Amino acid sequence: MGSNSALKSSVWITIGNFSRQFGAIISQLFLARLLDPSDYGIIATAYIFWSFSILFTQFSSGTFILYKGIEDRRYLDTSFTITLIVGGFFSLILSVFSPLISSFFNEPNLRWLLCVYAFNLLLAGIFYTYESILMRQSRYRNVAVIALTATFFRLVVTVASAFYNLGYWSFALGDIAFWIVSICMVMYQSKILLRLRIFKEVSKEIITFSSGTIGSSLGSYFVNNLDNAIVSKMLGVVSLGYYNLSYQLTTSLSKVVMPVVERLGLPTFSKLSGDHERRKALSSVIKDLAYLLTPVYALLMLSIDESTIALVFGEQWSSAAVLVPWLLVISYTRVLNLVLKTINSAQGAPWINARVSLRSVPFVVIGFILGAKYGGTLGVAIAGFITLGIGTTIYWWLLSCQVFSWPIKELVLPMVKPIVVAALAVGVSMLLPIVVKQIFFIFIYVLAIRFLSPNYFCQYYKISARVAVGFKKKVFK
């Protein structure tokens, strides 16, 4: 894939995922004023089990198709069939155990909500298979259009349901609309009708690859979602409502960037010849991402405070601001770690990602429990910062470099520079009034990069110039 093609693809992937996140933010603006924190807590609890179940449908077909390609119809039909079998199994499990889950969290209404999300699992399995076909064909524009359209329908249905006082059911109805519209559009665009059949000669390869990918995602699920479960159980659904709002705000950017890395990176990295080429790609991508995202996350840290949240979502949500800095760091490290995770999968070694994720689970769980017990929601956020933001990141890079005999200094040190500069600039800027601290940060950060990394300073300048020229043309055309 040429550089221009890769750039266009990344732009379309970004547009698609930005539309999802923008739609989520807009719905949050409406729903935060129409619903109670307890409604957020109930839906966040349901999402814990939805997120767990979707791992086995999303990653049992989509990731493999991106890795293997679509030339052999046997792989497509077998992947599709396995996905629906797995999705049906977990739909049944989720429905059967919904009364027990509802009783455990002492939320009677959770039972029927989980049954709805069990149905959505089957819809999601169909969608992810067909979407992966489009992405493997590099039809990212079509994927973006589908995301824009489906997100619009989700937004309309969700907000309309909230206006009619349907409470937490607003989220569920919006999700159903999203999946139905997405499936109709993606099947039409793919021009392929997949069949329910399994070829034994290829099924073992699919299951072996998917098992490693699912193992990694399973570990990631536990470390990324157990905080919600622990907050809900130990502190209650109201506290989870505040925690979930902070989580959604701090992960909005990563939810836009991460699919670009994963969906464009895996097929691209898989086509590179040899370990040396992939190592060079990893070094280049991780350094570019660090210089691009670090100042953005730093500005978010300076901007999302009590006054901002109170202004946008209402005074009742302002206490969620104290969680933002810690959760932003976790979100930032997830993006950087995803590049390494994608390279490992392209190397045919998703087991590395699985080992890191699963071995991290006990330490993360203990941290969350201790944090909730002694520090409430803030303690949970700090525990995540220590175990996920720092501990898991260090272990992941050390293990990957050890397995592939990569020089860790060559890969890690280039991305440390913007992080250190941004941290110092944020520390100084936080002492200033809110109206000037963002401007002061930009000045200090850009000045430091000008002398420490002149090449990236020139890139910042070119990007700013292009944005200014584009804005000028739009305004004065």
Side-chain angles (χ1 to χ4, degrees):
M1 181 181 292
S3 58
N4 289 335
S5 177
L7 179 61
K8 291 179 180 178
S9 299
S10 64
V11 168
W12 281 114
I13 296 174
T14 303
I15 290 174
N17 288 285
F18 177 79
S19 69
R20 291 190 181 102
Q21 296 311 307
F22 182 74
I25 291 174
I26 294 298
S27 64
Q28 294 275 5
L29 291 175
F30 284 101
L31 298 179
R33 297 181 180 275
L34 294 172
L35 305 179
D36 297 325
S38 59
D39 290 321
Y40 273 84
I42 293 173
I43 199 69
T45 305
Y47 272 136
I48 295 172
F49 299 94
W50 156 261
S51 300
F52 173 78
S53 302
I54 196 65
L55 292 176
F56 298 90
T57 55
Q58 180 179 3
F59 294 104
S60 58
S61 64
T63 305
F64 180 80
I65 291 173
L66 289 175
Y67 166 75
K68 190 68 178 181
I70 59 174
E71 290 76 18
D72 194 330
R73 184 60 184 261
R74 296 175 303 166
Y75 286 101
L76 293 180
D77 288 342
T78 304
S79 297
F80 179 63
T81 305
I82 291 175
T83 296
L84 290 187
I85 292 174
V86 172
F89 173 76
F90 278 95
S91 294
L92 180 62
I93 293 295
L94 190 58
S95 299
V96 169
F97 282 93
S98 61
L100 294 177
I101 296 171
S102 176
S103 176
F104 178 78
F105 287 98
N106 196 27
E107 289 293 340
N109 297 321
L110 192 58
R111 175 182 179 179
W112 301 111
L113 196 60
L114 289 175
C115 291
V116 171
Y117 281 105
F119 170 71
N120 284 352
L121 279 177
L122 294 173
L123 301 181
I126 298 172
F127 169 72
Y128 282 124
T129 304
Y130 277 96
E131 184 194 43
S132 298
I133 293 173
L134 291 180
M135 289 191 293
R136 184 65 190 193
Q137 294 172 334
S138 298
R139 295 171 62 186
Y140 297 105
R141 180 176 180 176
N142 297 100
V143 174
V145 171
I146 292 169
L148 282 166
T149 307
T151 299
F152 172 77
F153 277 92
R154 170 190 268 166
L155 176 63
V156 171
V157 172
T158 302
V159 175
S161 301
F163 270 114
Y164 281 98
N165 299 317
L166 294 181
Y168 50 82
W169 284 107
S170 306
F171 292 93
L173 294 174
D175 285 348
I176 291 175
F178 175 85
W179 291 117
I180 291 176
V181 172
S182 296
I183 289 173
C184 293
M185 295 187 68
V186 79
M187 291 182 68
Y188 174 78
Q189 290 290 341
S190 68
K191 308 297 183 184
I192 296 176
L193 183 61
L194 298 176
R195 297 174 59 187
L196 292 174
R197 55 181 179 173
I198 294 178
F199 294 90
K200 293 183 179 180
E201 62 270 23
V202 301
S203 60
K204 183 178 180 180
E205 181 182 356
I206 295 172
I207 294 172
T208 300
F209 181 90
S210 299
S211 297
T213 305
I214 291 173
S216 170
S217 301
L218 188 60
S220 298
Y221 162 81
F222 282 119
V223 299
N224 294 335
N225 289 277
L226 282 178
D227 52 349
N228 286 335
I230 291 171
V231 170
S232 179
K233 181 61 179 176
M234 296 182 64
L235 305 177
V237 292
V238 175
S239 294
L240 180 59
Y242 290 109
Y243 187 88
N244 187 254
L245 178 65
S246 298
Y247 181 86
Q248 296 299 326
L249 290 174
T250 55
T251 57
S252 295
L253 179 59
S254 64
K255 288 178 180 178
V256 173
V257 177
M258 290 175 70
V260 178
V261 175
E262 191 168 29
R263 297 175 181 179
L264 183 61
L266 184 56
T268 302
F269 293 150
S270 298
K271 295 175 184 177
L272 296 177
S273 57
D275 175 80
H276 179 68
E277 289 295 322
R278 293 192 181 110
R279 190 185 77 190
K280 287 175 58 180
L282 173 62
S283 177
S284 175
V285 172
I286 200 69
K287 184 165 61 174
D288 290 345
L289 269 179
Y291 275 93
L292 177 65
L293 294 180
T294 302
V296 178
Y297 271 93
L299 285 171
L300 288 175
M301 188 177 294
L302 292 171
S303 302
I304 306 177
D305 56 12
E306 287 189 14
S307 59
T308 304
I309 292 179
L311 177 64
V312 176
F313 297 101
E315 288 287 345
Q316 71 272 26
W317 296 99
S318 59
S319 59
V322 70
L323 309 175
V324 168
W326 309 100
L327 297 180
L328 272 175
V329 174
I330 300 173
S331 174
Y332 173 78
T333 55
R334 281 177 185 165
V335 178
L336 298 184
N337 290 338
L338 182 62
V339 182
L340 181 62
K341 177 182 177 181
T342 306
I343 284 285
N344 289 341
S345 296
Q347 292 271 80
W351 62 267
I352 297 176
N353 307 324
R355 178 180 296 181
V356 172
S357 298
L358 293 173
R359 286 184 175 180
S360 301
V361 171
F363 302 98
V364 175
V365 172
I366 293 172
F368 285 154
I369 292 175
L370 293 176
K373 182 177 180 179
Y374 296 104
T377 54
L378 178 59
V380 174
I382 295 175
F385 164 78
I386 296 172
T387 56
L388 295 175
I390 299 177
T392 301
T393 299
I394 293 174
Y395 178 49
W396 212 328
W397 283 86
L398 286 176
L399 180 61
S400 299
C401 290
Q402 181 184 18
V403 170
F404 297 119
S405 300
W406 290 341
I408 190 168
K409 289 184 179 180
E410 176 185 320
L411 296 173
V412 174
L413 287 181
M415 67 178 180
V416 171
K417 191 181 296 182
I419 295 174
V420 172
V421 171
L424 295 174
V426 166
V428 176
S429 302
M430 280 186 170
L431 303 175
L432 301 176
I434 187 173
V435 293
V436 297
K437 57 185 180 182
Q438 291 89 353
I439 298 174
F440 185 79
F441 167 81
I442 295 173
F443 174 77
I444 294 297
Y445 181 84
V446 171
L447 184 65
I449 294 299
R450 170 65 180 85
F451 292 101
L452 297 176
S453 301
N455 291 335
Y456 280 93
F457 174 81
C458 293
Q459 290 189 22
Y460 287 150
Y461 177 79
K462 290 178 181 179
I463 293 173
S464 302
R466 289 177 182 175
V467 172
V469 171
F471 178 77
K472 184 177 180 180
K473 288 181 179 179
K474 291 289 184 181
V475 174
F476 298 104
K477 65 180 180 179

